[in-house]
Amino acid sequence: MARAGKPVSGGFSPVLTVDRLAAKPLHRQIYEGYRAMIVARNLRPGQQIPSTRALAVELGISRIPVLDAYAQLLTEGYFESRVGAGTYVSSSLPDLLPSTDIGKARPPVDGSGPRKLSRQSAFLPDFHDPLWAFGSGPFSVGQLDFDHFPFSVWDSLVARHCRSVRAAALNYSDPMGSREFREAVASYLGAARAVQCEARQIMVVSGSQQALDLCARVLLDPGDKVWIEEPSYPLMRYALEMRGCRLIPIPVDAEGLDVHRGIRRSPSARAAFVTPSHQYPLGVTMSASRRLQLLDWAQTAGAWLVEDDYDSEYRYENMPIASLQGLDRSSRVIYIGTFSKTLFPALRLGYMAIPMDLVERFSAVRRVTDLFPPFLNQAVMTDFMIEGHFARHIRKTRLLYSQRRNALVQALESEFGSRLPVAGAQAGLHLVITLPDGLSDCEISAQAAAQDNLRLWPLSPCYLGKRVRQGFILGFAGTRAADMPNQVHRLKKALTPWL
Amino acid sequence: MARAGKPVSGGFSPVLTVDRLAAKPLHRQIYEGYRAMIVARNLRPGQQIPSTRALAVELGISRIPVLDAYAQLLTEGYFESRVGAGTYVSSSLPDLLPSTDIGKARPPVDGSGPRKLSRQSAFLPDFHDPLWAFGSGPFSVGQLDFDHFPFSVWDSLVARHCRSVRAAALNYSDPMGSREFREAVASYLGAARAVQCEARQIMVVSGSQQALDLCARVLLDPGDKVWIEEPSYPLMRYALEMRGCRLIPIPVDAEGLDVHRGIRRSPSARAAFVTPSHQYPLGVTMSASRRLQLLDWAQTAGAWLVEDDYDSEYRYENMPIASLQGLDRSSRVIYIGTFSKTLFPALRLGYMAIPMDLVERFSAVRRVTDLFPPFLNQAVMTDFMIEGHFARHIRKTRLLYSQRRNALVQALESEFGSRLPVAGAQAGLHLVITLPDGLSDCEISAQAAAQDNLRLWPLSPCYLGKRVRQGFILGFAGTRAADMPNQVHRLKKALTPWL
């Protein structure tokens, strides 16, 4: 194994052209070819070179000129040989060889035509996040507890499915996902979320973001009006903005999205994108009457409802609330959920429940988007659910996160009293604290990240309109209850100059 | 079992059934019973509900589960309490709820608004494939050999990365993919494909389809003209059609896409999507002069070139050809590759090399599309490459597929002589046979699938224009060389009635 600094892929025959009829001898052509590739950084320090025998076969020539060329490259230090392990590009070549002659990452050449990108992609803000969103910290949103994840169970399921792999599991497959997994998801959603669906309505996705993007592509045209919650999840907004939709922000009050105001502002909107279980970011639960009003409007107006149920598994003060989809009488709701909050985000596994008459169009669009989901995680997750590990994990983490939430709420109270009101703590994995008038959450976040190494997610960027509340979205799932008072003390130190 | 049949105000008697022996807890039964009655309009807004004490007595159970259920119904807004006057069905519930039962997969309700989908999704053909594309067979395109896949090595790498999992590998991550994997891919592409790029230009995707879709979204606007090869890969076309682009089919001859004809037809096209290494479906390799013409045109016209190098690892009769990207002097090429053909499709792992100045926009669009790629496969594949297993696997399968190709070409010759000309067999995992004039490949494919259980991929659906060649695309990677004569004999039996 060759490891020289950065990982390089070994043993590939390089793109080396030799011409048996040329005046230049073959060994010279091979020598010059390798040298050029090393100088141009197509071959990297530490990268394994094919054996002389393999290269001779590859080029369809005798081994002798290959041996000559390799000897010279070894002599000149471009190659090094490791006893019993083959030949490598010398690992002692300087790492910062200039590569200008071939020019990697070249700037556009003068006189070249324009470099025009799509208007659609221009809708999006710069990818590079502000400092407060980099890395993780005690209050990072989306941070989870991994100390209690049943890794040994998970790993044994992964091993089981690696061993017993069938050709069917390796080949191209259905864009909706694996049959077995969709059955498991449908029965989970029926029991835990009162979602009304059959397995064939379930589409396996990589998470709620892919689901939101697919909804935008299947359901909406550029210029269509869409209700969104005000404030809302910025990446949900971006999915709609990238589609060219006109966003109509509808205020969220203590009962969730204000349907009557929505109807006054935009009665003929084509869709509403909502988070009824635990509104992002404010944490409100949409009341039953609002849910029924929303469904009524959608049915009358011919609008679609996209329900993002991203962290509904975590409720601390009452039983889980039935989904909007479960109340829907006219198949207007596309239900979205994810395992990113219950298992881990890098799993990239989520699901949608799609109205039956839309399944075919969603399949067609999904196939063109990325064909179908990977097999292994689906197989592992199916067993994880069927064998009861998932339910146990939810129960365990619900208790854990409830303790962490309590610790955070208590610590906030003891440090700040009533100066920083807390909202949205009844459910989910984050809560919100609001700041007194006149303070800028973004300014404080930037300074806390730079000076105190504390990442605070500001509330105001979640607003689309001008009436903005300043505050912070505090995640609590990744910080132990015992550690919470210290972390809140850090928070207080960071905020003190401003309060 | 107990029944509560006590009339409430309004003269309506709810029939609430609870079963003390059921697995479902009592409070849940009560909650669900009420909710169902409210949703079904058996209970009306403003209707009074029995007190908790009364209901407990009525049902002959303790008051605790009743209190729990009522608390939940109040929280969710189904009930409202009026001080000193008891509990009521919420009066703000809308009056026009339909009263059908909670049905699964309900058809749209009569009188409901329209169910309009996006024009974009309407561009796509029906998802459900014709019979010849279902399942697999001896000549299925995309079928690979799995008998020689190093499963034990792969599994031990999976196990290694499951065991040593770090929190960083579970959390949200970079939309471009993992740093280590991108280093390994960049060094592989530099050596094996003469691609000129640094690791930070590599984006990890789920396969070439996601890459094509991202290119369409980042680079193109609806209405933009795009050169595509005629014939071409239908799913590449769909990605562009879904984007609303105007496709300009440019004929492919023995040297690949005819650049001069392209310039005559549409000099100001915004992009060209090409498969230079092994044209899909015809199997031609684009000549060096055509590559340079194409790059020249792109630079002058300010056009993008999207190079799908989907099966370039398999060449049998000559040395690997440097990629179009490696010849590009003005950073106009987006290079796409996949592990679907070299490892297995259900891995869902591919990559792009993106011009440096576009990396930021591709990141932004990819984040909104599906956030970032899953971690495990990237970690496993990194080691698979660094430790030389990938190079070995390619060498082994190149030999294997070369034998299978030879066996297919020989068997076709001995069964059909020169009646069915073979093309595109110098590289890749499929070849093409063309049919005599007057025959319909789709008709024959349909019959062969239905009558002979033989899946033949017809050539004509790959054409966009009217000048269409009839034939079949025969994959050979999944059929053993020794079995090839028998399978070609089956093919002959299926074709004989037509020839």
Side-chain angles (χ1 to χ4, degrees), chain A residues 265-335:
Chain A
R265 283 197 191 168
S266 181
S268 61
R270 182 94 164 264
F273 279 54
V274 290
T275 51
S277 289
H278 187 229
Q279 203 272 332
Y280 190 92
L282 296 181
V284 179
T285 299
M286 188 183 282
S287 72
S289 61
R290 286 280 173 81
R291 288 171 195 239
L292 295 173
Q293 288 166 13
L294 189 59
L295 288 163
D296 261 6
W297 165 74
Q299 183 175 342
T300 309
W304 302 109
L305 301 176
V306 175
E307 175 179 28
D308 185 358
D309 213 23
Y310 66 102
D311 71 358
S312 58
E313 292 81 1
Y314 296 106
R315 295 201 65 76
Y316 310 116
E317 298 188 354
N318 40 42
M319 282 182 284
I321 288 194
S323 61
L324 189 64
Q325 197 271 5
L327 298 172
D328 178 18
R329 283 288 170 284
S330 57
S331 294
R332 297 246 159 230
V333 176
I334 293 89
Y335 176 90

Side-chain angles (χ1 to χ4, degrees), chain A residues 1 3 6-12 14-16 18 42-44 47 58-59 102 105-106 109 112-121 124-127 129 143 146 151 155 158 162 165 169-172 175 196 198 201 206 209-210 213 217-218 220-221 235 238-239 242-243 270 287-289 292-293 296 299 302 304 318-322 327-332 340-341 344-346 348 356-357 360-361 364-365 367-372 374-375, chain B residues 27 35 39 72 75-76 78 92-94 98 100 102 105-106 109 112-121 124-127 129 143 146 151 155 158 162 165 169-172 175 180 183-184 187-188 190-192 194-197 206 209-210 213 217-218 220-221 238-239 242-243 270 299 302 304 319-320 322 328-332 340-341 344-346 348 356-357 360-361 364-365 367-372 374-375 383 385-387 390-391 395 398:
Chain A
M1 193 197 305
R3 293 208 185 218
K6 292 173 179 176
V8 292
S9 306
F12 288 97
V15 185
L16 189 66
V18 298
N42 282 352
L43 291 173
R44 317 228 163 173
Q47 194 159 13
E58 187 87 21
L59 298 177
I102 297 200
R106 294 157 293 235
V109 170
S112 178
R115 299 176 72 78
K116 206 177 145 201
L117 301 182
S118 69
R119 288 186 296 275
Q120 186 190 49
S121 74
L124 297 178
D126 277 0
F127 162 65
D129 288 315
Q143 199 75 21
F146 297 129
F151 283 111
D155 294 353
V158 170
C162 277
V165 85
L170 301 175
N171 271 324
Y172 290 98
Q196 300 283 338
E198 298 172 20
Q201 292 172 263
S206 70
Q209 192 64 36
Q210 183 175 37
D213 184 53
R217 299 180 87 170
V218 175
L220 300 168
D221 285 308
L235 275 163
Y238 299 161
M242 196 163 74
R243 192 76 191 91
R270 182 94 164 264
S287 72
S289 61
L292 295 173
Q293 288 166 13
D296 261 6
Q299 183 175 342
W304 302 109
N318 40 42
M319 282 182 284
I321 288 194
L327 298 172
D328 178 18
R329 283 288 170 284
S330 57
S331 294
R332 297 246 159 230
S340 291
K341 311 293 180 198
F344 51 92
R348 309 311 302 128
M356 193 62 87
D357 62 328
E360 195 276 337
R361 276 299 87 183
V365 170
R367 186 168 66 147
V368 174
T369 302
D370 69 350
L371 293 187
F372 69 103
F375 91 99
Chain B
H27 66 91
R35 197 177 63 112
V39 168
Q72 174 86 4
T75 303
E76 295 188 15
Y78 290 101
S92 57
L93 292 168
T100 46
I102 295 180
R106 296 154 294 236
V109 169
S112 178
R115 298 175 74 77
K116 206 176 144 202
L117 301 182
S118 69
R119 288 186 296 276
Q120 187 189 47
S121 75
L124 296 179
D126 278 0
F127 162 66
D129 288 316
Q143 199 75 20
F146 296 129
F151 282 112
D155 294 353
V158 170
C162 277
V165 86
L170 301 175
N171 271 323
Y172 290 97
E180 294 77 16
E183 292 280 359
S187 70
Y188 161 63
V195 167
Q196 300 283 338
C197 73
S206 71
Q209 193 64 37
Q210 183 175 37
D213 184 53
R217 299 180 87 170
V218 175
L220 301 168
D221 284 308
Y238 299 161
M242 196 162 74
R243 193 75 192 91
R270 182 94 164 264
Q299 182 174 342
W304 302 110
M319 285 179 281
D328 178 18
R329 283 286 169 284
S330 58
S331 295
R332 296 248 159 228
S340 291
K341 312 292 180 197
F344 53 93
R348 309 313 301 129
M356 193 62 89
D357 61 329
E360 194 276 337
R361 276 300 87 181
V365 169
R367 185 168 68 149
V368 174
T369 302
D370 70 350
L371 293 188
F372 69 103
F375 91 100
D383 285 358
M385 296 175 92
I386 290 177
E387 296 179 9
F390 183 50
R395 277 200 295 272
R398 188 184 289 144

